[in-house]
Amino acid sequence: MHRLTFAVPRARPGPPTRPPRRAPGASPARLRRLAARLAAAVPAVALLAALAGCGEPPAPLAATPQAGALAGADSARGRQRIVAQGCVSCHSIPGIKGAGARVGPPLGHLAKRAYLGGVLANTPANLVRWLRDPPAIAPHTAMPNLRLSEAEARDIAAYLLTLR
């Protein structure tokens, strides 16, 4: 039988290792002064960051839309049109009984949102535009063109703008 042996490499003598070189002009005293300045600056930066969040809130993208801004629109007719169109098959809508589906976004508090469909400022006129032909505004939207007339879209918008 043979015996297996393993050779372990030994450390070879070589030149002694030196400590890393310091950058020119980086004396220990200068490094201590720099560290002290940085330590003093950290609380000031933290205070400025905290104060940046204070103050007046930013102005809204658009004024909160009002249902009354749609001349000739009737929110009661809009509610009836929402039921007739079957909007609750995709959306949950406060005040309207239905399945409360989750295909489209819930329409509660629509009047408080900044955007319609993620692309239009929430104004009464834009809401009517969106209701009339959503794919024309956002081609990749899942909301179909329901072929609403201008009057039907205005009535539906008047109802949706009552949802605060």
Side-chain angles (χ1 to χ4, degrees):
M1 272 206 188
H2 293 296
R3 238 187 193 158
L4 293 176
T5 58
F6 296 97
V8 178
R10 294 186 181 176
R12 294 184 185 170
T17 58
R18 289 195 239 172
R21 292 183 58 172
R22 235 184 277 135
S27 67
R30 187 171 180 183
L31 291 175
R32 281 192 296 273
R33 284 193 305 270
L34 180 61
R37 286 184 192 149
L38 286 174
V42 169
V45 170
L47 178 64
L48 286 174
L51 290 176
C54 296
E56 295 295 320
L61 179 67
T64 304
Q66 303 292 323
L70 293 166
D74 182 358
S75 62
R77 277 194 318 250
R79 184 180 185 289
Q80 292 169 353
R81 174 56 52 193
I82 288 171
V83 171
Q85 287 294 136
C87 298
V88 292
S89 58
C90 292
H91 301 279
S92 62
I93 306 170
I96 298 181
K97 300 242 187 254
R102 305 226 189 276
V103 175
L107 298 181
H109 307 289
L110 182 79
K112 292 184 178 182
R113 295 186 189 166
Y115 290 99
L116 299 168
V119 293
L120 282 178
N122 188 2
T123 66
N126 282 343
L127 181 54
V128 171
R129 279 182 55 211
W130 175 260
L131 291 170
R132 293 212 58 209
D133 191 3
I137 296 164
H140 298 293
T141 185
M143 186 164 168
N145 181 349
L146 300 173
R147 311 245 184 261
L148 296 172
S149 69
E150 176 77 18
E152 291 169 333
R154 292 171 73 75
D155 290 343
I156 291 172
Y159 178 78
L160 293 175
L161 291 176
T162 65
L163 305 177
R164 299 191 175 278

